[in-house]
Amino acid sequence: MPATAVPFVTPPNTHHIEALAALGVSRRYRRGALLIQEGETGDTLYIVQQGRLRAFVADNQGRELTLGMYGPLEYVGEMSLDGGPRSANVEAAEACTCSVVSRATLLDYIAAHPEFALELMARLIRRARLATDSARSVALIDVYGRLVRLLNELARDPDENGERVLRERLTHQQMAQHLACSREMVSRLLKDLETGGYIAVRERWISLRKPLPARW
C-alpha cells in the first residue's frame, strides 16, 4: 500500500483548539502507546499539547501505511462525531501529552461556537483530499516515484550550497511506513541515489544535492 509524503500542518487559528483543550483531561503517553485502534468505537478527541502522534493503517501481514503525523495543537479522533468505528490507528510517535476531550464536550463546544464547525469541516475536507491524493499515488506511482515525492515534499529550501536538507531525520523503516514498501527497498534506492551523487547522508540527515531524476 503506497503513500505520499506526510504533511505536518499547524492550524493558522488556534483559539478554538486551545479553548477546547482546556476543557479536556490532560494525559501523558509513552512512545509507541496506542491511543486509537482501527475498528473500535470511540467517543474522544485527542488534542496534542506536546510531542507527536502518528495515524496509520495496517494489514493482516503487519504492513503499515502512515497517514499523517500530528504535532502540538493538531488533533485526531474527530471522526468520533458520528459515533461510528475508528477509521485508523493512532499511536504516540514520541512521548507526548494530549488533552482528551469527550464527544459530549466537543458537541457542546460546537453548539456554543458554531463557527468552529466550519473549521472542523475544512479540516475534514483537507483530510479527504489527502486521502484521494494517496489513492492516486497507490494506483499510478511506483515506489521510486513515491520516494522522490516524499523527499521533495520534506526538503527545506536550498542552503548556500544549493542543497536541500530534509525537515525530518527519518529512519529507513519510517520511510518504508510512509511508502508502504519494505525497508530493504528504501535502503537500496537511497544507496543508489547516494552513489549517483543525488543525495548526501550525514548523521542520518538526508540532503538533496541536485534535482532527483524522474525515473530510476
Side-chain angles (χ1 to χ4, degrees):
M1 295 183 296
T4 59
V6 176
F8 297 82
V9 180
T10 299
N13 184 353
T14 61
H15 168 73
H16 286 300
I17 300 304
E18 292 172 342
L20 190 57
L23 300 175
V25 178
S26 186
R27 294 179 181 170
R28 295 181 178 179
Y29 299 93
R30 60 175 176 78
R31 179 181 177 184
L34 191 65
L35 285 67
I36 294 175
Q37 185 167 355
E38 182 181 0
E40 290 187 346
T41 301
D43 61 354
T44 49
L45 180 79
Y46 295 85
I47 301 174
V48 182
Q49 295 173 305
Q50 292 181 331
R52 290 191 303 168
L53 301 178
R54 179 175 78 101
F56 67 98
V57 292
D59 63 14
N60 294 332
Q61 284 72 48
R63 293 176 298 183
E64 296 181 355
L65 169 61
T66 297
L67 301 175
M69 301 288 289
Y70 306 99
L73 297 182
E74 277 283 278
Y75 54 90
V76 297
E78 70 274 18
M79 300 292 282
S80 65
L81 274 172
D82 68 353
R86 300 291 197 180
S87 59
N89 304 293
V90 176
E91 70 172 8
E94 56 193 58
C96 64
T97 303
C98 296
S99 175
V100 183
V101 180
S102 69
R103 179 172 180 267
T105 299
L106 176 58
L107 291 175
D108 286 344
Y109 188 86
I110 291 174
H113 305 86
E115 68 277 11
F116 178 62
L118 296 177
E119 292 184 21
L120 194 61
M121 287 175 57
R123 178 179 173 82
L124 289 170
I125 290 170
R126 286 196 300 270
R127 287 192 172 180
R129 285 176 174 164
L130 287 171
T132 301
D133 199 40
S134 293
R136 183 181 297 111
S137 176
V138 168
L140 301 177
I141 306 176
D142 61 13
V143 174
Y144 173 73
R146 297 193 302 274
L147 175 62
V148 168
R149 187 173 181 177
L150 176 68
L151 294 176
N152 281 325
E153 292 190 1
L154 291 180
R156 299 178 186 273
D157 292 333
D159 60 17
E160 62 276 9
N161 297 317
E163 295 190 6
R164 297 188 297 149
V165 181
L166 298 195
R167 297 191 304 271
E168 295 287 322
R169 186 166 66 176
L170 299 177
T171 66
H172 291 189
Q173 181 59 39
Q174 288 171 322
M175 286 189 179
Q177 290 171 344
H178 290 330
L179 304 174
C181 66
S182 69
R183 181 182 60 79
E184 292 75 16
M185 173 67 77
V186 171
S187 298
R188 181 175 65 80
L189 289 173
L190 290 177
K191 185 63 177 178
D192 286 348
L193 288 172
E194 187 176 12
T195 301
Y198 292 98
I199 68 172
V201 182
R202 306 179 184 93
E203 297 182 352
R204 286 175 41 205
W205 283 101
I206 296 176
S207 61
L208 310 186
R209 304 184 65 187
K210 54 186 177 180
L212 302 176
R215 297 184 181 278
W216 195 255

